Amino acid sequence: IEVDKKLNRLVFSERDAHPEEAKLPKVEFQFKEGDNLEGKVNKILPFGLLVGLPGEVEGLVHISEISWERVGNLEEMYKVGESIKAKVSSIDPSTGKIGLSIKKLQEDPWKEAEKKYQLGKEIESTISRVSSYGAFVQLEKGIEGLIHSSKIPYGVKFTQGDKVKISIDLFNPDQRRVALRLVTEEAAGEKVEKKAKKTKKTEKES
């Protein structure tokens, strides 16, 4: 629908590509976006929960909207017929699709965390899981950081539950991304040595 060569920009419209959907009668609901509802789990899928809502309609809680924490097996967390509370995050009146969110009923842990985890801050924590590209560290409930494999010394292997001392390399609340590096004894020694040299230099100048 728009081409701008100077700005190197293309704008597309999925709605205009399906004009037949615009002719469909709009579905009316007993609720609106932003409402908090209670419903029952009708079906548990690998990618989310189908929830029965007022007015004999269903909404989907995508797995990414379950919790601020990492979600595992949904069948271990929920049961069919179980009552849950969720916020209406999106409604498409043309298709009748309803998006729900459980985690938006909870406080976003990333909002305040940026103030606590400033660049260079050193903390002690625990390895929460290990992957082929590094080790994840649980900073607090809902927030994990990654020690990339390139920042782990050769031969060092971590397992879940290992205690580590780390520092913050990157904290991006918008992208929900935290990059970490190990604080080794050698690195700590270098810091002490640099601080001692700086102190001696200051004493000489004074």
Side-chain angles (χ1 to χ4, degrees):
I1 60 173
E2 182 183 334
V3 179
D4 192 323
K5 292 184 178 180
K6 291 182 180 179
L7 295 176
N8 196 29
R9 182 175 67 183
L10 293 172
V11 180
F12 299 89
S13 172
E14 185 177 4
R15 181 183 60 190
D16 291 353
H18 301 278
E20 68 280 359
E21 290 186 0
K23 298 176 183 178
L24 295 175
K26 292 188 176 181
V27 182
E28 293 186 0
F29 300 99
Q30 299 178 11
F31 45 83
K32 61 184 184 300
E33 285 187 24
D35 284 356
N36 296 337
L37 302 177
E38 185 168 340
K40 288 188 176 181
V41 177
N42 287 347
K43 194 171 184 179
I44 301 174
L45 304 168
F47 53 85
L49 306 173
L50 277 180
V51 181
L53 301 173
E56 296 184 353
V57 295
E58 282 187 327
L60 174 67
V61 185
H62 191 268
I63 193 168
S64 62
E65 292 296 323
I66 297 288
S67 173
W68 295 107
E69 297 184 75
R70 186 170 176 268
V71 176
N73 190 341
L74 291 177
E75 291 185 345
E76 294 178 356
M77 300 173 63
Y78 298 95
K79 294 180 180 179
V80 173
E82 178 182 350
S83 293
I84 63 168
K85 293 181 180 180
K87 180 182 284 291
V88 181
S89 55
S90 65
I91 296 177
D92 189 329
S94 298
T95 62
K97 291 181 180 179
I98 304 165
L100 303 172
S101 175
I102 295 174
K103 74 179 187 181
K104 286 181 181 175
L105 294 177
Q106 308 161 4
E107 187 177 350
D108 184 351
W110 291 84
K111 287 184 177 179
E112 294 298 322
E114 188 178 16
K115 301 173 186 176
K116 297 161 56 177
Y117 300 108
Q118 298 177 353
L119 297 184
K121 181 176 181 179
E122 296 182 1
I123 55 176
E124 290 186 2
S125 193
T126 305
I127 299 292
S128 55
R129 56 193 175 99
V130 179
S131 74
S132 59
Y133 48 86
F136 288 87
V137 176
Q138 186 83 28
L139 298 181
E140 61 181 69
K141 188 176 180 179
I143 299 180
E144 268 188 337
L146 172 67
I147 309 171
H148 194 269
S149 55
S150 62
K151 297 179 182 178
I152 299 176
Y154 179 76
V156 175
K157 302 290 183 182
F158 289 114
T159 57
Q160 185 177 354
D162 286 348
K163 298 288 185 181
V164 288
K165 189 171 184 180
I166 50 175
S167 66
I168 309 293
D169 261 6
L170 171 73
F171 195 97
N172 190 323
D174 296 326
Q175 297 180 0
R176 302 287 198 265
R177 182 170 169 238
V178 184
L180 307 169
R181 72 167 59 241
L182 289 170
V183 178
T184 62
E185 292 182 4
E186 182 181 351
E190 288 177 359
K191 285 188 177 181
V192 172
E193 188 177 348
K194 286 180 180 178
K195 187 175 181 181
K197 287 181 179 179
K198 187 176 180 181
T199 304
K200 287 181 181 179
K201 184 179 179 181
T202 305
E203 289 176 351
K204 287 181 181 179
E205 290 176 350
S206 59

